[in-house]
């Protein structure tokens, strides 16, 4: 089957949330034409004025054409529900916008189509809407004419593209724009918010500029919209020429904190990378989703590093992407980067730390090994070879191999097609450095081998090897300083039994300092080191002055506190107090972000500190943005004043502020108030998209654990429905189960045994495995305080 083009006329009833579609498909097929179609009411199918028989079979519309070449005309109606996928209604202030989210397999909810990324076709949209409304789609409008009290907007035809990248937004929008060469860059928001789009507009311009020169290919459409959508499941979606964003991932004002700015910049840069990598060249099937996502993830940080060097963004990359992926990939229920998927539910669940973070980290490892210019050249060749078309993982490696001139595919394959990653154990013996590798698992280990491109610091010099055996011993002579995985460009862990002093003598970068403590927590969980050894190592970081390692230690203490508060509170108090003191006079943005996160951690564990901050809640609007999280949480914990918090929440005008207060409202010490807060999601007072955010925030409050689990148990079906088709619940459960379930493993297992959560199977499975590991850990740590017999 081959599709040349779709020509869609959509008559949209904005107020009553329904539409009438007339679709002309230019198609060639050897058998009956089968199109994907969900929830559409087909009225008539015809070709050349002759009607055709058809039937709906599951999610397919089968048209009895036999062998066919020509144009099929399909007339149908559809409705616009309150969901987060397909064509849906995103409400705000008693009105709404109509918007779309088609990735991975939801274009079929707006038009019958071959909803498969490799069936690229030209797409032409004509819209009939109320004349006072605005419309945004992938291409600019070619003509607009009045039609009674309606208007007809004809959009330019797109180049060949995949259906999941089609976009339509209808409502009242305000816009700001800039021009870069011939490209219009436009930010669009609902009325009253457009001023907040200035920052994103600037980042977008710089990002496109960066990509045009990096890829050596100009942006290919006449314009790109960045649209802030009032209800949106993900951070952003790379519809070609019309990118959709959650408001908190696009809008910034003078009251925004550094965390919010970084998020906006990252999501904007990420989505724009997809304009080339994903939209212009698209994966053939979703098994290669990683090609899209790893690549955009990596590229976003290249952009951030170039346009905001003071953020030291590679430090954030390690903390978010490499660390997230190693944690996700350190259990048995993981999956390879390249993974076989069939159903839409399976596809949604692989938008995870493996497809994004592990893929991006492996690309970074390969880049470090072959050099950044060969890497860039390979990508440019890859994009040029497959322009306006599709490609597979192997095409990508072919292009890199050609650019580099040496074998690469065999190495890459092992990392892409196999789950997990290695840990290297290092020993020194009479001038020989011996290395041993096995698969790292948080629950222990397993035999396996990877070809590891190692970059190491040896006696102050850099050395590269490929370590592809189980064991290897290298003659190195006298060693006085050693650090493997130099600057943490590799996706593996390194264990140095009794050699940490040697490691500390190396010229350690902030990345190296991060890597040592990052691995240490994993080794504690896996039982390679004791709690006492771990605590000793943490003490070396008490006066850490650098962003990434300091933040890592804080993250670790925060995590340990959620699972075993009693043992961690004192260490954590000491660390965070010292750190906040050191940060007092620093004014750079990364320091204020640290201050924000550290203060927010300290208010959870330190009543005295919380009390001190509470007084500032009286003048909350004037609190500096980076302290607002902590001040709101301090107030919630000290006074348990639900009425005041909810009043504040209702007065909010920005989503950033709303989310901040929701975080504070699950930080009460009083469980019954947390129940009231979570209840706001059921009554519709909390945006659908933010329900997940609240559950994530509740995880860090030990007093909320029991109640949150009870709430989730009772409302699991509500949350499932809310995020149906988005994979979000899978991600929520993966994070929530291991924390909420501590101390009641059996109960939780039985619950999920009895209640299968469709669309979240992989999150439940991985969550349960992690739960057992964490539950074990808490027992181990608790015992470590018992006096030895
Ligand atoms: Zn992406």
């Amino acid at each position: 089957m081959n599709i040349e083009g779709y020509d869609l006329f959509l008559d949209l009833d904005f107020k009553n949330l329904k539409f009438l579609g007339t679709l002309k498909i230019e198609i060639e097929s050897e058998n009956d034409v089968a199109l994907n179609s969900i929830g559409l009411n087909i009225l008539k199918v015809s070709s050349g004025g002759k009607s055709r028989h058809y039937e709906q079979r599951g999610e397919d519309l089968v048209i009895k054409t036999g062998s066919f070449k020509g144009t099929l005309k399909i007339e149908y109606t559809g409705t616009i529900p309150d969901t987060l996928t397909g064509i849906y209604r995103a409400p705000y202030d008693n009105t709404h916008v109509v918007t779309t989210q088609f990735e991975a397999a939801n274009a079929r909810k707006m038009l019958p189509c071959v909803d498969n990324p490799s069936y690229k076709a030209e797409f032409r949209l004509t819209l009939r809407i109320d004349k006072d409304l605005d419309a945004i789609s992938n291409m600019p409008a070619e003509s607009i004419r009045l039609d009674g009290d309606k208007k007809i907007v004809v959009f330019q035809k797109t180049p060949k593209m995949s259906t999941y990248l089609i976009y339509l937004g209808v409502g009242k929008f305000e816009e700001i724009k800039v021009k870069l060469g011939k490209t219009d860059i436009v930010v669009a928001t609902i009325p009253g918010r457009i001023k907040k789009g200035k920052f994103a507009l600037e980042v977008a311009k710089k990002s496109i500029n960066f990509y045009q020169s990096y890829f050596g290919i100009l942006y290919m459409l006449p314009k790109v919209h960045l649209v802030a959508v009032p209800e949106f499941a993900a951070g952003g979606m790379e519809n070609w020429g019309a990118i959709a964003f959650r408001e908190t991932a696009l809008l910034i004002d003078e009251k925004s904190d550094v965390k919010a700015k970084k998020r906006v910049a990252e999501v904007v840069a990420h989505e724009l990378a997809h304009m080339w990598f994903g939209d212009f060249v698209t994966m053939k099937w979703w098994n290669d989703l990683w090609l899209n996502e790893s690549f955009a993830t990596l590229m976003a940080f290249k952009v951030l590093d170039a346009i905001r060097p003071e953020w030291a963004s590679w430090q954030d990359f390690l903390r978010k992407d490499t660390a997230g992926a190693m944690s996700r990939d350190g259990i048995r229920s993981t999956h390879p980067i390249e993974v076989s998927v069939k159903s839409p539910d399976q596809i949604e669940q692989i938008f995870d730390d493996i497809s994004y973070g592990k893929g991006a980290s492996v690309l970074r490892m390969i880049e470090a090994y072959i050099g950044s210019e060969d890497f860039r050249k390979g990508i440019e060749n890859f994009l040029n070879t497959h322009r306006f078309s599709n490609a597979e993982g192997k095409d990508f490696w072919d292009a890199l191999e050609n650019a580099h001139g040496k074998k690469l595919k065999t190495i890459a394959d092992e990392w892409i097609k196999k789950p997990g990653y290695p840990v290297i154990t290092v020993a020194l013996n009479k001038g020989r450095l011996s290395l041993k590798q096995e698969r790292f698992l948080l629950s222990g280990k397993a035999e396996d081998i990877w070809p590891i491109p190692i970059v190491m610091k040896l006696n102050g010099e850099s050395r590269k090897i490929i370590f592809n055996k189980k064991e290897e011993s290298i003659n190195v002579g006298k060693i006085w300083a050693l650090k493997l995985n130099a600057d943490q460009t590799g996706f593996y862990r390194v264990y140095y039994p009794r050699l940490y002093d040697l490691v500390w003598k190396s010229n350690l970068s902030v990345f190296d300092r991060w890597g040592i403590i990052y691995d240490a927590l994993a080794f504690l969980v896996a039982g390679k080191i004791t709690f006492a050894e771990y605590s000793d190592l943490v003490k070396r970081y008490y006066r850490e002055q650098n962003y990434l390692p300091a933040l890592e230690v804080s993250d670790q203490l925060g995590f340990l506190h959620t699972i075993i508060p009693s043992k961690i509170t004192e260490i954590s108090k000491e660390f965070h107090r010292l750190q906040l003191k050191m940060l007092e006079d620093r004014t750079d943005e990364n320091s204020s972000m640290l201050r924000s996160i550290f203060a927010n951690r300290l208010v959870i564990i330190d009543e005295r500190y919380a009390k001190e901050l509470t007084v500032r809640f009286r003048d909350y609007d004037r609190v500096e943005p980076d302290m607002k999280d902590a001040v709101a949480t301090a107030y919630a914990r000290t006074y348990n004043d639900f009425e005041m918090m909810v009043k504040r929440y209702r007065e909010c005008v920005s989503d950033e502020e709303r989310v901040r207060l929701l975080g504070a409202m699950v930080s009460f010490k009083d469980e019954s108030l947390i129940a009231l807060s979570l209840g706001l999601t059921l009554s519709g007072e909390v945006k659908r998209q933010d329900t997940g955010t609240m559950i994530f925030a509740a995880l860090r409050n030990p007093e909320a654990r029991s109640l949150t689990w009870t709430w989730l148990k009772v409302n699991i079906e509500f949350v499932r429905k809310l995020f149906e088709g988005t994979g979000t619940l899978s991600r929520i459960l993966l994070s929530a189960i291991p924390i909420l379930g501590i101390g009641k493993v059996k109960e939780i297992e039985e619950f999920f045994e009895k209640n299968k959560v469709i669309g979240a199977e992989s999150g439940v499975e991985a969550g349960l495995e992690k739960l057992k590991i964490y539950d074990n850990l808490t027992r181990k740590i608790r015992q470590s305080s018992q006096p030895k017999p």
Side-chain angles (χ1 to χ4, degrees), residues 238 270-271 274 293 296 356:
E238 68 267 24
H270 175 109
E271 302 308 333
H274 280 310
E293 294 309 346
Y356 287 69

Side-chain angles (χ1 to χ4, degrees), residues 38 59 102-109 115 164 286 344 347-348:
I38 299 187
E59 296 191 353
F102 289 165
E103 190 178 29
N106 298 303
R108 60 190 74 177
K109 293 177 181 168
D115 207 1
Y164 80 91
W286 299 101
I347 297 168
E348 293 304 338

Side-chain angles (χ1 to χ4, degrees), residues 152-332:
I152 294 187
V153 186
V154 185
F155 291 96
Q156 290 177 29
K157 190 155 77 176
T158 70
K160 286 185 109 185
M161 66 182 287
S162 304
T163 47
Y164 80 91
L165 296 167
I166 293 172
Y167 180 74
L168 171 63
V170 178
K172 295 229 163 109
F173 293 111
E174 287 180 356
E175 294 187 346
I176 43 172
K177 57 176 92 177
V178 293
K179 230 177 166 68
L180 177 69
K182 288 182 179 160
T183 310
D184 280 319
I185 308 171
V186 192
V187 170
T189 68
I190 56 172
R193 309 261 162 100
I194 194 62
K195 268 199 199 141
K196 299 183 178 194
K198 267 171 78 179
F199 177 75
L201 192 66
E202 251 167 67
V203 173
K205 186 176 175 187
K206 287 178 180 161
S207 303
I208 294 175
N209 201 26
F210 180 95
Y211 292 136
Q212 295 193 139
S213 105
Y214 187 90
F215 297 134
I217 300 168
L218 291 179
Y219 176 71
M220 39 326 256
L221 303 182
K223 62 94 184 173
V224 59
H225 266 97
L226 293 84
V227 189
V229 178
E231 273 278 16
F232 196 71
M237 172 61 211
E238 68 267 24
N239 314 299
W240 209 5
I243 308 171
F245 293 84
R246 187 183 282 219
E247 290 192 350
T248 48
L250 191 69
L251 306 181
I252 286 294
D253 60 22
E254 65 289 345
K255 288 184 178 161
S256 296
D257 57 24
V258 178
K259 201 162 65 218
K261 267 192 227 166
K262 282 191 175 184
R263 171 139 198 254
V264 167
E266 189 201 332
V267 181
V268 167
H270 175 109
E271 302 308 333
L272 284 167
H274 280 310
M275 298 299 107
W276 284 260
F277 217 103
D279 298 3
F280 177 58
V281 176
T282 312
M283 77 240 135
K284 269 200 180 126
W285 180 244
W286 299 101
N287 62 324
D288 275 324
L289 172 72
W290 73 273
L291 252 191
N292 275 5
E293 294 309 346
S294 331
F295 195 79
T297 300
L298 185 76
M299 287 312 294
F301 285 91
K302 282 190 190 287
V303 170
L304 298 189
D305 193 48
I307 70 174
R308 293 299 284 258
E310 70 278 17
W311 281 352
S313 294
W314 289 111
Q315 300 190 31
D316 285 318
F317 174 85
L318 282 176
R319 174 175 178 249
K320 290 177 49 192
D321 291 291
T322 304
M326 282 199 153
S327 161
R328 177 68 184 82
D329 208 24
I331 55 176
R332 283 180 200 278

Side-chain angles (χ1 to χ4, degrees), residues 125 274 451 526 624:
L125 176 66
H274 280 310
E624 63 274 24

Side-chain angles (χ1 to χ4, degrees), residues 29-89:
S29 176
E30 288 178 4
N31 303 306
D32 284 351
V33 171
L35 301 169
N36 301 116
S37 168
I38 299 187
L40 301 172
N41 176 30
I42 310 293
L43 304 173
K44 190 178 173 192
V45 181
S46 60
S47 67
K50 208 175 92 191
S51 61
R52 297 275 183 172
H53 287 290
Y54 61 89
E55 65 180 27
Q56 185 80 31
R57 275 189 221 149
E59 296 191 353
D60 289 344
L61 171 68
V62 180
I63 304 161
K64 309 282 182 190
T65 53
S67 171
F68 181 84
K69 184 175 188 236
T71 305
L72 279 175
K73 186 174 164 192
I74 305 173
E75 290 157 79
Y76 62 97
T77 60
T79 55
I80 301 166
D82 270 10
T83 50
L84 293 165
T85 61
I87 178 168
Y88 70 93
R89 167 182 176 263

